[in-house]
Amino acid sequence: PPYMAESMNLFGQEVSIYRVFIFLFAVAIFFIAWFIIYRTSFGMRLRAVTQNKDMASSFGINSGVVYSSTFAFGTGVAALAGAFVAPLKSISPDMGANYIIDAFMVVVLGGVESLIGTAASSLIIGESSSFLASFSNDTLAKALVLVMIIVILRFKPQGLFTKKIRS
């Protein structure tokens, strides 16, 4: 729509309304994922399978269905992300390749089983990278962020936001 091409003043900066829409949509997807994982019976089955697949199977949970459904949800979210980013970037088969390493670093830093950790670490990595890029170039900023993550993981190998589970 034409109104998405306009910009708005946000904290003293001119920001595209479309970019604000993408941010709000990402926040909505985060809360939908949180609701599915922590407030539905499917989420309970998902958490059971990720914690102990054999024990979940003994309770009658079909791990294949859980894995397939989770993959389908993730694929759908990735497709939506690609559709929303397409107007901002050029469309090509490898248009998401630049985001793969960042996504991996976000999950590892946040903690593999932590949805809140993923959100927090994405904020930490994104803001650190942007802050450092303002003093130098993007490549050096990403390298410094990678060094920062390596140092953090040296002292907290499970990530910043790990869950305490029974062993």
Side-chain angles (χ1 to χ4, degrees), residues 87-162:
L88 301 175
K89 305 282 184 187
S90 61
I91 299 174
S92 66
D94 64 341
M95 69 186 269
N98 297 335
Y99 301 111
I100 291 175
I101 294 172
D102 290 337
F104 179 73
M105 289 191 305
V106 162
V107 171
V108 169
L109 181 64
V112 175
E113 294 182 358
S114 174
L115 188 62
I116 300 294
T118 300
S121 65
S122 68
L123 182 71
I124 291 168
I125 290 173
E127 291 301 318
S128 299
S129 182
S130 296
F131 178 74
L132 292 172
S134 68
F135 296 112
S136 64
N137 60 22
D138 288 340
T139 306
L140 183 59
K142 285 197 182 279
L144 290 173
V145 168
L146 178 62
V147 168
M148 177 187 74
I149 291 171
I150 290 170
V151 169
I152 291 171
L153 291 177
R154 171 63 181 97
F155 297 104
K156 290 200 63 142
Q158 290 82 23
L160 292 176
F161 300 89
T162 56

Side-chain angles (χ1 to χ4, degrees), residues 35-109:
F35 181 80
I36 289 171
I37 292 171
Y38 293 106
R39 297 289 185 233
T40 64
S41 62
F42 173 76
M44 188 183 313
R45 291 191 303 269
L46 172 66
R47 288 180 283 135
V49 168
T50 57
Q51 286 183 5
N52 191 334
K53 179 182 171 186
D54 295 329
M55 185 64 74
S57 295
S58 70
F59 280 99
I61 297 173
N62 186 346
S63 61
V65 170
V66 171
Y67 288 145
S68 298
S69 301
T70 306
F71 181 78
F73 179 73
T75 304
V77 170
L80 281 172
F84 282 131
V85 170
L88 301 175
K89 305 282 184 187
S90 61
I91 299 174
S92 66
D94 64 341
M95 69 186 269
N98 297 335
Y99 301 111
I100 291 175
I101 294 172
D102 290 337
F104 179 73
M105 289 191 305
V106 162
V107 171
V108 169
L109 181 64

